[in-house]
Amino acid sequence: MGPIGAMLVFAVALRLNVCVARWWEGRCLWGKLVFAAINATQQAHAAIKDEKLLRRFTNTVIVFSWSCKAKLRGARLEDLSQEGHALVSRGLLEKAELDEIASLDGSIWQPYHCLDVMRSVVNEGLGESAEFRAILIDNSVTELALAIGGSIRVKATGMPHGDPNPNPNPNPNPNPNPNP
């Protein structure tokens, strides 16, 4: 194997290593998301006594997971290819809530809306009497936010290219007018 072959092997190995590292980081972040969802739900079950609020919190955690999936796939929860309508038919989400989520513009990510709903439910369900428990649940909700934020960062990080400064314009002259 000559020097060109060695360079080719090195380039392929480097890209493979980057791909595996991104896959592993995504896998760890999704595992963190699952753990935080379970943890938040368990803490809510121990702290929120109102069954209606507890059900809303638990259902919102489920909706959050599906909205994360949609966000990571570049879709929205209400899209026909996503689970929003199935969540409504299963009773985990009200039609009005799906419509509210669908009405959010692109500046508000749907998973973050779910996090806001979770925090609202905790504040309503616990009030000020159980501030310590509210802080614990909020820490779990924050872990959910960190996990989806990290997942979106990994998805948005492009693959390394061979040319660190790709220039689509082969003309090095920044002046587009050939007659100055």
Side-chain angles (χ1 to χ4, degrees):
M1 174 170 30
I4 293 178
M7 286 175 39
L8 181 64
V9 167
F10 177 75
V12 169
L14 178 67
R15 285 183 63 88
L16 180 63
N17 190 29
V18 169
C19 289
V20 169
R22 287 182 69 205
W23 172 81
W24 185 254
E25 185 177 4
R27 185 178 184 277
C28 289
L29 286 166
W30 193 258
K32 184 178 180 180
L33 189 143
V34 169
F35 172 77
I38 292 169
N39 195 29
T41 303
Q42 288 175 333
Q43 289 172 347
H45 273 273
I48 299 174
K49 303 303 179 204
D50 184 323
E51 279 298 316
K52 185 177 177 184
L53 289 174
L54 180 60
R55 183 178 311 262
R56 177 130 196 250
F57 184 90
T58 304
N59 289 352
T60 305
V61 170
I62 295 168
V63 172
F64 169 79
S65 301
W66 287 108
S67 67
C68 288
K69 174 191 157 239
K71 177 68 179 167
L72 291 171
R73 293 188 175 178
R76 295 179 55 85
L77 190 60
E78 70 275 7
D79 293 347
L80 293 177
S81 64
Q82 298 304 313
E83 279 34 275
H85 298 285
L87 292 169
V88 170
S89 68
R90 289 172 46 200
L92 296 170
L93 186 64
E94 297 292 326
K95 176 73 170 114
E97 290 175 308
L98 181 60
D99 292 341
E100 179 183 343
I101 291 171
S103 71
L104 298 172
D105 64 8
S107 66
I108 301 172
W109 290 346
Q110 291 178 339
Y112 282 15
H113 173 77
C114 294
L115 295 173
D116 290 342
V117 171
M118 285 183 234
R119 286 186 171 111
S120 295
V121 169
V122 168
N123 288 336
E124 186 179 342
L126 296 181
E128 295 180 15
S129 62
E131 187 175 330
F132 180 71
R133 286 185 184 226
I135 290 171
L136 287 176
I137 296 171
D138 190 65
N139 287 343
S140 294
V141 172
T142 299
E143 287 297 316
L144 288 169
L146 292 172
I148 187 57
S151 298
I152 290 169
R153 177 189 47 78
V154 167
K155 181 182 185 282
T157 304
M159 290 299 299
H161 299 285
D163 182 6
N165 187 14
N167 184 4
N169 182 6
N171 182 3
N173 182 4
N175 184 0
N177 185 359
N179 298 323

